């Protein structure tokens, strides 16, 4: 289910979900694409990931609510590249708050790369 390490991109962000609303597509650097196959069910797609070399598109993030429980699954991050991207840090921040039924405050996310 894992692909080769390759330049990857997050795209097709769900404009209606608070985790991804207002975030534009972005490159995440080198990463593996986790090519999970989702069975039909009660999940909401947050975004897709694509690999440049293999021309593959996969589910990159999804969430689900069941009763009072919430879960958000974010699949990029096998290598450091995604964590160096401000939009991905923002998605992680929002996902944690959303899953805890908390208001999502501004994150102030910044790149972890040295300037």
């Amino acid at each position: 289910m894992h692909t080769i390490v390759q330049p990857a991109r997050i795209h097709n962000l769900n404009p209606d979900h608070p985790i991804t609303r207002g975030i534009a597509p972005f490159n995440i650097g080198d990463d593996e694409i986790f090519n999970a196959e989702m069975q039909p069910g009660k999940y909401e797609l947050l975004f897709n990931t694509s690999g440049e070399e293999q021309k593959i598109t996969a589910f990159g993030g999804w969430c689900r609510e069941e009763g009072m429980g919430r879960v958000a699954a974010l699949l990029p991050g096998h290598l450091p590249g995604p964590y160096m991207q401000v939009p991905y840090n923002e998605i992680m921040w929002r996902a944690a708050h959303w899953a805890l039924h908390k208001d999502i405050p501004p994150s102030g996310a910044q790149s972890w790369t040295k300037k």
Side-chain angles (χ1 to χ4, degrees):
M1 291 174 34
H2 286 88
T3 63
I4 63 171
V5 173
Q6 59 192 303
R9 181 167 179 76
I10 288 178
H11 60 96
N12 191 29
L13 290 109
N14 185 336
D16 299 321
H17 200 282
I19 293 174
T20 48
R21 184 180 301 131
I23 298 177
F26 59 98
N27 294 326
I28 58 173
D30 288 342
D31 201 17
E32 294 178 78
I33 305 299
F34 187 74
N35 195 17
E37 293 183 19
M38 301 292 289
Q39 294 186 3
K42 300 176 184 175
Y43 68 89
E44 188 170 359
L45 180 66
L46 294 172
F47 58 84
N48 290 114
T49 52
S50 292
E52 279 185 27
E53 290 181 32
Q54 291 180 300
K55 307 295 184 216
I56 188 169
T57 297
F59 291 92
W62 56 267
C63 63
R64 177 180 173 155
E65 294 187 67
E66 183 80 28
M68 291 297 296
R70 287 180 168 177
V71 63
L74 308 175
L75 302 180
H78 297 85
L79 296 169
Y83 304 109
M84 303 300 173
Q85 307 307 316
V86 172
Y88 195 58
N89 294 333
E90 181 71 25
I91 288 170
M92 291 188 300
W93 174 263
R94 292 179 185 185
H97 285 81
W98 177 85
L100 292 168
H101 292 269
K102 303 285 185 185
D103 291 336
I104 302 173
S107 71
Q110 298 177 13
S111 174
W112 299 348
T113 57
K114 294 181 181 180
K115 294 183 180 181

